[in-house]
Amino acid sequence: MAGRYDPVLIIFMGFSLVSFWFPVGHDGNDSVTWWFDIRAGALVAASVLIAGIQLYFRVTNLTFALFVTLALILGVMAPLLAIDTLRTDGYEAIGLWIYVAGLGFLAWRAMAMLSKAAEFNRLISFAVPALFGLWLLYLWQVVTTGFGVPSVLLPSPGQIGDAIAANGETLYADFYQTVIKSVLSGFVFGCGSGFLVAILVDRIPFMQRGLLPLGSLVSAVPIVGIAPIMVMWFGFDWESKAAVIVVMTFFPMLINTLAGLQATGKIEKDLMRSYAAGYWQTLFFVRLPNALPFIFNALKINSTLAMIGAIVAEFFGTPIVGMGFRISTEVGRMNVDIVWATIAVAAVVGSVFYGLLALFEKRLTFWHASYRRAR
């Protein structure tokens, strides 16, 4: 139950009804309201009607959550129709923006009801963050097109989508060069070597005094300082970018793995010692499992560092392919939509990479206290 009167839906309905009294655009020199385009007016009326039905019954089960979500879907189409058929001219279409502000409250109520209904439904639990992301993209689209923001300053999501569709082959070649060649190889070498050296340092404690201060020093070195050096050492192709990523990911993995190995309690070590277990048996059966949350933390941090390192390193020299090369060259040509398309591809790839690591972490560390508390 959202509350006896549900002020969120009341605010949405109030904003929507007020928007009918103000212009939502211009047809020639005449200001027009929602009813100029009967389709847009009907969509606004349908969203208000559904919100009113929910306000009357005040039921918060999954069926009514989907019902309110339907009202949101119908409601968001009305401003898009108005912007497509009318001249909105920013604040002169004040009725349009009042309604969009009211839609924010309807989106709030729809996501709140879906979140509550998603407790035992995994599909709906994925729909809530997807709906939130789509809402942000919608606001981006409406604001940039409604206010006529120049695409050089900020292209709309629709223009970015068109750029992705028109340059799919080029974007795939950039993805292959940056992600498959540079990021994955640098990530594997950097994290793998950091993990192995952490085992060595744990076995030979005096190395901690020499390596850990060096790790702090290298972590403070800016990437723009080492990237040109790596290009001179390893050439313009993917090897120099992988080398930058190795430098960036090595010490986070080393330090986190060491912290994880040291997290094993004295009781567990004494228990293994009572079983006559050696160093390696204690390491594989007790200390490394205990260190897994720390190791996955380093992997997740390094997944984002690797993407950033590869793209920035490509600014300092690369073959005529790669995400960093594409961004630097297309900015100079004022093809900002292609720049944003490249950024969108990088963001999606980085999110998927991070999400896969988080999924593996959940599968392998289900026994950890943080996941037990979550259940």
Side-chain angles (χ1 to χ4, degrees):
M1 186 72 66
R4 186 173 182 182
Y5 295 110
D6 198 343
V8 174
L9 284 182
I10 291 175
I11 293 173
F12 162 68
M13 294 177 68
F15 274 50
S16 302
L17 294 176
V18 168
S19 71
F20 278 96
W21 295 95
F22 293 94
V24 297
H26 293 80
D27 181 44
N29 294 323
D30 300 326
S31 298
V32 297
T33 62
W34 282 120
W35 295 117
F36 177 81
D37 187 337
I38 193 66
R39 298 170 302 170
L43 288 170
V44 174
S47 65
V48 174
L49 176 64
I50 294 175
I53 293 172
Q54 165 60 20
L55 197 62
Y56 178 78
F57 286 103
R58 301 196 300 277
V59 179
T60 57
N61 58 25
L62 178 58
T63 302
F64 273 80
L66 295 175
F67 197 46
V68 174
T69 305
L70 174 64
L72 177 64
I73 294 172
L74 295 175
V76 298
M77 294 169 65
L80 295 176
L81 279 174
I83 291 171
D84 189 48
T85 57
L86 300 173
R87 183 165 53 83
T88 51
D89 290 339
Y91 288 113
E92 293 185 15
I94 187 65
L96 178 76
W97 304 115
I98 291 174
Y99 179 67
V100 170
L103 277 177
F105 289 93
L106 183 61
W108 176 4
R109 175 54 63 222
M111 285 185 276
M113 293 177 69
L114 285 174
S115 297
K116 189 172 182 179
E119 291 181 358
F120 303 102
N121 191 319
R122 181 167 295 184
L123 181 62
I124 298 298
S125 65
F126 283 114
V128 175
L131 185 62
F132 184 74
L134 290 173
W135 171 249
L136 294 180
L137 287 176
Y138 171 77
L139 284 181
W140 183 355
Q141 176 75 24
V142 169
V143 170
T144 51
T145 54
F147 281 90
V149 178
S151 60
V152 173
L153 296 179
L154 182 63
S156 67
Q159 291 172 316
I160 296 171
D162 292 341
I164 292 175
N167 300 278
E169 191 174 338
T170 302
L171 292 174
Y172 175 75
D174 294 338
F175 163 80
Y176 188 80
Q177 174 73 20
T178 302
V179 178
I180 302 299
K181 286 186 174 179
S182 302
V183 171
L184 290 184
S185 56
F187 181 82
V188 170
F189 277 111
C191 293
S193 56
F195 177 80
L196 293 176
V197 173
I199 301 292
L200 183 65
V201 169
D202 180 72
R203 185 61 174 157
I204 309 172
F206 77 86
M207 292 183 67
Q208 293 186 25
R209 298 186 178 181
L211 265 180
L212 294 187
L214 181 62
S216 302
L217 178 66
V218 173
S219 299
V221 174
I223 182 175
V224 293
I226 60 173
I229 296 172
M230 294 299 164
V231 170
M232 286 191 292
W233 286 1
F234 297 100
F236 286 93
D237 211 341
W238 63 270
E239 292 87 351
S240 57
K241 287 71 188 172
V244 172
I245 296 170
V246 169
V247 174
M248 293 181 68
T249 58
F250 175 82
F251 283 101
M253 175 55 78
L254 169 64
I255 293 170
N256 275 276
T257 304
L258 273 177
L261 292 174
Q262 293 168 358
T264 302
K266 189 172 183 302
I267 295 177
E268 289 92 339
K269 292 179 183 175
D270 289 342
L271 179 62
M272 293 301 290
R273 200 173 295 118
S274 69
Y275 291 152
Y279 171 82
W280 296 107
Q281 288 173 312
T282 304
L283 178 70
F284 284 114
F285 295 114
V286 176
R287 300 182 68 199
L288 277 179
N290 277 333
L292 279 179
F294 294 84
I295 294 171
F296 273 105
N297 190 40
L299 289 173
K300 289 188 289 185
I301 292 172
N302 285 343
S303 67
T304 55
L305 286 178
M307 283 296 298
I308 295 170
I311 291 174
V312 172
E314 286 178 351
F315 278 73
F316 296 92
T318 183
I320 53 173
V321 66
M323 291 180 173
F325 168 80
R326 194 66 52 201
I327 291 172
S328 61
T329 55
E330 297 301 336
V331 162
R333 297 172 181 170
M334 303 297 283
N335 294 325
V336 183
D337 55 342
I338 300 178
V339 174
W340 279 93
T342 306
I343 293 171
V345 171
V348 170
V349 170
S351 299
V352 170
F353 195 7
Y354 187 96
L356 288 174
L357 289 172
L359 185 63
F360 282 125
E361 179 186 18
K362 191 173 182 179
R363 292 287 183 187
L364 293 177
T365 61
F366 59 89
W367 46 267
H368 194 257
S370 59
Y371 289 108
R372 290 205 303 269
R373 280 197 297 269
R375 285 201 294 269

